[in-house]
């Protein structure tokens, strides 16, 4: 990955400090968001719609899903990756996923998360077999 550019990922931890040109460099943005998913907010618009980048973001920090494009924020695979990492991500996914039995069962199966999402409105009918 960008062998010709030497940089310390700890120094490049916040895309807000850099020019739009850097924030449009896919390889740099991918490296940064895998360390700090919230930095996606500063990435170029087209990179917020890049499936690989957004998947890396939600695997690093499920709350950063909110910075992805509208289309990818509603992508089932990406939502499931966020929910699998942390069931509490159910709070920030589009409403249609909160009524999806598979999504709900995945969210509550994540260890130590049921108490965190218990107050979220979950239909008991959806949880019945």
């Amino acid at each position: 990955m960008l062998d010709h550019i030497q940089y310390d990922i700890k120094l490049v931890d916040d895309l807000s400090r850099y020019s739009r040109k850097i924030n449009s460099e896919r390889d740099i943005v991918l490296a940064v968001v895998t360390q700090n998913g919230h930095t996606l907010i500063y990435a170029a618009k087209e990179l917020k719609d890049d499936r690989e980048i957004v998947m890396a973001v939600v695997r690093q920090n499920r709350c950063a899903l909110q910075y992805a494009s509208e289309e990818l924020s509603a992508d089932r695979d990406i939502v499931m990756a966020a929910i699998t990492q942390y069931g509490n991500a159910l709070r920030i996914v589009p409403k249609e996923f909160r009524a999806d039995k598979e999504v709900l069962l995945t969210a509550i199966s994540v260890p130590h998360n049921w108490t965190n999402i218990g107050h979220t409105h979950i239909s008991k009918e959806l949880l019945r077999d």
Side-chain angles (χ1 to χ4, degrees):
M1 172 175 53
L2 289 182
D3 294 331
H4 62 285
I5 296 177
Q6 297 295 318
Y7 60 94
D8 183 341
I9 195 65
K10 292 178 182 174
L11 296 175
V12 186
D13 63 351
D14 184 354
L15 292 171
S16 67
R17 297 185 220 164
Y18 301 96
S19 71
R20 287 184 184 172
K21 183 176 182 183
I22 293 293
N23 293 349
S24 297
E25 290 290 333
R26 185 180 188 282
D27 291 334
I28 292 174
V29 170
L30 182 59
V32 172
V33 299
T34 58
Q35 300 297 313
N36 181 351
H38 284 290
T39 59
L40 183 64
I41 195 171
Y42 302 109
K45 185 178 180 179
E46 65 272 10
L47 297 179
K48 293 177 182 183
D49 199 36
D50 182 300
R51 183 176 193 73
E52 182 183 4
I53 288 176
V54 172
M55 191 63 84
V57 164
V58 299
R59 287 184 177 141
Q60 194 282 323
N61 186 320
R62 85 286 177 202
C63 289
L65 177 64
Q66 64 189 320
Y67 306 126
S69 70
E70 188 175 324
E71 180 181 339
L72 290 181
S73 293
D75 180 278
R76 183 175 187 77
D77 293 337
I78 290 173
V79 166
M80 290 299 286
I83 297 286
T84 300
Q85 186 219 2
Y86 192 68
N88 205 16
L90 189 61
R91 294 179 180 169
I92 62 168
V93 301
K95 283 185 178 183
E96 63 267 18
F97 291 107
R98 292 183 219 147
D100 182 301
K101 185 174 183 177
E102 181 185 4
V103 171
L104 293 173
L105 291 174
T106 300
I108 64 174
S109 71
V110 177
H112 310 294
N113 282 309
W114 176 240
T115 56
N116 293 331
I117 63 173
H119 71 280
T120 304
H121 301 300
I122 297 176
S123 170
K124 290 181 181 179
E125 293 89 33
L126 287 172
L127 298 178
R128 288 187 198 145
D129 278 323

